[in-house]
Amino acid sequence: MALKIWKSYCALQNQARIFKSTFGSAGQSYVQGQLANDERQYFYYIDHQGMLFLDDARMKNFTSCFKEKKFLKFFFRRLKMNSNHENLQEWPYVSPCGNEMNYIKCDDLPVVYQSIVYDGEKPHLSWGDEHGLLKYPLNLSDIAMCPKSGRVYHPAPYRQGGIGLIKSKLAIELSNHFVFEENTILPSGIRWNDQHFTLNHQILKLLDNRPSTGRYSEVEE
């Protein structure tokens, strides 16, 4: 199985070279697939909907994003903070693969939760795609809204930075269950399945320490 995934990954990387030569933008400080420091390097971008693109793709929409599930799972499971590699400021995340290194920048965060899925009766947040490709347990009390942007967040795996963005469509659905105290801009709780959960907003402090690549807007689109 691992060999099949590896072959699929290599085939997709070859497609990436072809895609770049067709749609790539001029003026960037790198070449997709360049060899530097004995590693083959590729450069990616994750938008606020959780879609993955080659960073230099001129068109970034559903048509041009990566969709192959085996590749996405392979890529996102290996994603981590760029703690000991070059280009740290511009590319704060990496997804290593053998002697290849995939450098990543984001509109906001690399983990974008796209839907709620269930493992038995336990709710999880799905990331990588909307269908449970990768899952993280949902703790309703840990949901937090950023007062500056209005974006909604939830804890994420430590390897990926500890905090994930909730996709705007899902955030709107959740906001219908928020409870607000009088004269407050942040929700104090969430009512879910006839139960009240108090929001602790503890993960908001992680936003101040997250890497920045200069693309994140404080105002939600």
Side-chain angles (χ1 to χ4, degrees), residues 67-108:
K67 304 177 188 67
E68 210 284 323
K69 292 185 182 299
K70 288 183 179 179
F71 169 71
L72 291 173
K73 190 169 187 178
F74 189 89
F75 186 95
F76 281 114
R77 286 185 66 179
R78 287 160 177 75
L79 190 150
K80 63 179 182 178
M81 304 286 288
N82 183 0
S83 59
N84 57 355
H85 291 86
E86 62 178 19
N87 305 321
L88 176 59
Q89 183 172 359
E90 187 175 4
W91 308 95
Y93 304 95
V94 295
S95 179
C97 178
N99 65 344
E100 296 182 353
M101 183 60 67
N102 301 307
Y103 290 93
I104 306 159
K105 62 176 61 170
C106 312
D107 173 68
D108 192 337

Side-chain angles (χ1 to χ4, degrees), residues 116-185:
I116 297 175
V117 296
Y118 285 83
D119 186 355
E121 296 182 355
K122 297 180 179 180
H124 289 70
L125 290 166
S126 174
W127 62 289
D129 73 355
E130 294 185 349
H131 309 292
L133 185 72
L134 295 167
K135 296 180 291 185
Y136 191 82
L138 171 61
N139 187 339
L140 291 164
S141 294
D142 287 335
I143 292 174
M145 177 186 288
C146 176
K148 293 182 179 180
S149 68
R151 288 184 171 183
V152 181
Y153 298 87
H154 185 276
Y158 177 80
R159 176 185 175 90
Q160 282 80 25
I163 183 172
L165 171 70
I166 295 180
K167 182 179 176 178
S168 56
K169 180 180 178 181
L170 178 57
I172 291 172
E173 294 175 7
L174 289 171
S175 70
N176 292 327
H177 302 274
F178 284 163
V179 176
F180 291 85
E181 301 294 336
E182 188 175 356
N183 299 321
T184 60
I185 60 172

Side-chain angles (χ1 to χ4, degrees), residues 12 15-16 18-20 22-24 43-47 50-68 71-72:
L12 281 162
Q15 292 177 21
I18 296 172
F19 188 94
K20 184 267 173 183
T22 305
F23 298 104
F43 301 86
Y44 291 85
Y45 175 70
I46 300 172
D47 75 358
M51 292 188 288
L52 176 68
F53 306 89
L54 287 172
D55 180 67
D56 54 351
R58 290 176 180 169
M59 298 179 295
K60 291 184 173 67
N61 52 43
F62 182 76
T63 302
S64 59
C65 73
F66 287 93
K67 304 177 188 67
E68 210 284 323
F71 169 71
L72 291 173

